[in-house]
Amino acid sequence: MSQLALQLDCPGEENFRLQVDCQLPDRGVTAIYGPSGSGKSTLLDCIAGLRRPHAGGLVRFRGQNWLADGTFLPPWQRRVAYVFQDARLFPHLNVQGNLDYARARRRGNDGAGLQQVVTWLELEDLLQRTPGALSAGQKQRVAIARALLSAPQLLLLDEPLANLDHAASRQCLACLQRLARQLELPMLYVSHDIEEVSELADHLVLLEDGRITDRGSLLDICGRLDTKLSQEEQAAAIVLGTISRHDPEFGLTELEVEGETLLVGYQQQLAGQKRRLRIPARDVSVCRQKPLDSSILNILPVTLTQIEQHGSARVLLQLALGSQHLLARITRKSAARLQLQVGDRLFAQIKSAALLMESPDHHE
Amino acid sequence: MSTAELDAIYLTIALATITTVLLLILGTPLAWWLSRQKANWPALVEAVVAMPLILPPTVLGFYLLLLFAPGTALGSAWERLTGTQLAFSFSALVIGSVIYSLPFVVQPLQAAFQRVPNGLLQAAATLGARPLDQFRSIVLPLTRRSFITAASLGFAHTVGEFGVVLMIGGNIPGETQVLSIALYDYVESLQFAEAHRLAGGLVVFSLVLLYLLYRRDRRDSWRVRA
């Protein structure tokens, strides 16, 4: 009931056709991931009411029909806000004017206040500027603030970081993470950048050629071998850990993951904080005996749970570490030489693990 | 200046003002509609709107004269409603001027509207703005200058009208004798000094108006211009 139910059949350009029938959670951040042309923006447009599927279809949010037989609520009657890739600030209004525009038309009184939003998105010094005088990152932060001030019940974001340079993208991402943690506002986040998605999302929907191929929690989907995601070069597992100790002498931070210890580069965060780690499959190798004199610090006992062929020369391994999963991509020759079998107890050598920004993780 | 000349000036300004107001009221929705069409057939509507640009005004005037004649459906309906004849009346001049100056108002507005990105309207819609609100709060401010251009061109073009007026208005002082007709009268009767006064006045008026328009158009780069 309290969800976003979608049944859409929407033709697009050329032979493209979006065909979706699913229920998405109405909490946390749901990332819609897929290559360009997979229908991500079409999906958001249908949810926002900017595009109307030709025949039938259903968009129901928290029991309210936005699109159903005989019902089509126009965008201005749906309590949905949309952050576009190109910000779309109104050029004849300054930043304050853009924010006021949304506030004057807000569709409920339960939204965040102006002062709060300005603080969250670090806009204090920009209020009197015109959109033409803003950098791409500043524009996008204003666009997010403007969307929040319209008091939406659902926030749609269409690749908001795609046009930003690295620094601006990090700053914007940090803002979004703060919002995801502080607001009870479900977000649908469209992206084709899996690292961005790994930082932000609780749930993941994989879209390809207008169809949903997989969906579930981010950690589950990233740990699986049978998704399109695992076939990508930068395939990586995401694991959750707790910061346990700092080692300033060697510039390292210790995390506890499923009772094991993992070392990463030094972090400023306090012990006890939960963090996500992104471990690329290409940086994980396995051995049968625990190497005693390896330069690799992170060697964890794991159980081989799945083997999948990946191209002609390589295989992908799914390794269970407690209740979580790692991925490893090794050569088929190594797999044959080690005579790897599902159920084997192995040691995973992790060459690199990237600690992600503070994770929202409200799905736990 | 004679009473007849003052009458002609007053009549010309009244005609141009009423015509411009009507053109803005009728032309704005028409231009908006044209600016948002992707199909081919609205091009036919555009062609009809643009006809006065290339047709000799006398052609338009000739057909309007036939249309306004007392015996026709329009002519007799007008007589029933108002009790006066439509042909050779001030009202006939207004109708003729609205048609004659339509492209001068519709075209700059349409060009300006076409340059308002649809994405801005979508953004406004998702922020809760209904279509009329979107038009008022986004389109109007972005195209404000084009409204001034359109109104000025419509006004100036109506002031400069001759052929249509001659055909449907005749030359009734105080009723249909506008400046251009009065000028024609002076020339016909070889009163060149009086003709200079009117002709020179119109030249100065047109030059000043157009100069002000073009000067203003050079400023404010973010605005959508025609």
Side-chain angles (χ1 to χ4, degrees), chain B residues 12 15 52 55-62 64 88 92-93 96-97 100-101 104 154-171 176-188 198 202:
Chain B
T12 305
L15 177 64
L55 275 184
T58 43
V59 172
L60 186 63
F62 171 63
L64 286 176
F88 306 114
L93 285 195
S97 304
Y100 182 49
S101 298
F104 291 84
F155 187 91
H157 191 249
T158 306
V159 168
E161 180 179 323
F162 177 72
V164 179
V165 179
L166 194 66
M167 295 293 275
I168 61 173
N171 192 357
T176 62
Q177 194 190 55
V178 294
L179 274 174
S180 56
I181 302 282
L183 170 65
Y184 182 70
D185 265 5
Y186 282 138
V187 178
E188 284 276 88
L198 293 186
L202 279 172

Side-chain angles (χ1 to χ4, degrees), chain A residues 105-116:
Chain A
R105 291 165 180 80
R106 63 196 305 162
R107 285 151 285 183
N109 290 316
D110 45 351
L114 178 70
Q115 205 46 52
Q116 211 167 15

Side-chain angles (χ1 to χ4, degrees), chain A residues 177 197-203 218-219 238-241 255 274-278 354-363:
Chain A
Q177 283 183 322
V197 166
S198 309
E199 303 258 15
L200 200 59
D202 305 301
H203 315 279
L218 174 79
L219 272 59
I238 313 281
V239 297
L240 271 181
L255 278 105
K274 278 202 159 182
R275 297 294 295 272
R276 283 181 195 174
L277 284 151
R278 179 180 154 82
L355 199 60
L356 301 179
M357 284 199 266
E358 284 177 65
S359 91
D361 285 324
H362 29 224
H363 63 286

Side-chain angles (χ1 to χ4, degrees), chain B residues 5-219:
Chain B
E5 280 174 34
L6 286 175
D7 271 355
I9 291 173
Y10 167 76
L11 208 59
T12 305
I13 291 173
L15 177 64
T17 307
I18 293 169
T19 301
T20 307
V21 170
L22 285 176
L23 276 175
L24 287 177
I25 294 170
L26 298 173
T28 304
L30 178 60
W32 178 252
W33 179 79
L34 284 173
S35 76
R36 298 288 128 174
Q37 297 301 315
K38 290 200 181 78
N40 280 328
W41 71 267
L44 186 65
V45 179
E46 263 182 290
V48 170
V49 169
M51 291 255 276
L53 289 178
I54 51 162
L55 275 184
T58 43
V59 172
L60 186 63
F62 171 63
Y63 284 115
L64 286 176
L65 187 63
L66 296 185
L67 196 66
F68 293 165
T72 63
L74 182 67
S76 41
W78 183 274
E79 272 200 58
R80 267 201 310 280
L81 279 172
T82 64
T84 56
Q85 184 187 308
L86 182 55
F88 306 114
S89 71
F90 182 74
S91 303
L93 285 195
V94 171
I95 296 173
S97 304
V98 164
I99 295 170
Y100 182 49
S101 298
L102 191 61
F104 291 84
V105 171
V106 169
Q107 288 189 348
L109 290 183
Q110 187 188 340
F113 291 160
Q114 273 164 348
R115 291 167 66 172
V116 174
N118 221 17
L120 290 184
L121 301 182
Q122 290 188 332
T126 59
L127 292 172
R130 292 162 176 278
L132 212 62
D133 184 11
Q134 292 168 30
F135 189 80
R136 192 191 53 73
S137 61
I138 308 294
V139 179
L140 276 189
L142 285 176
T143 58
R144 204 180 63 209
R145 297 193 166 256
S146 298
F147 275 90
I148 299 172
T149 305
S152 310
L153 288 178
F155 187 91
H157 191 249
T158 306
V159 168
E161 180 179 323
F162 177 72
V164 179
V165 179
L166 194 66
M167 295 293 275
I168 61 173
N171 192 357
I172 307 166
E175 172 73 24
T176 62
Q177 194 190 55
V178 294
L179 274 174
S180 56
I181 302 282
L183 170 65
Y184 182 70
D185 265 5
Y186 282 138
V187 178
E188 284 276 88
S189 52
L190 303 175
Q191 292 172 270
F192 281 10
E194 288 80 0
H196 268 308
R197 209 158 53 216
L198 293 186
L202 279 172
V203 166
V204 171
F205 163 78
S206 308
L207 186 65
V208 168
L209 183 68
L210 289 173
Y211 170 69
L212 290 177
L213 265 184
Y214 290 142
R215 192 183 66 160
R216 200 216 53 222
D217 246 12
R218 290 170 180 269
R219 297 192 297 252

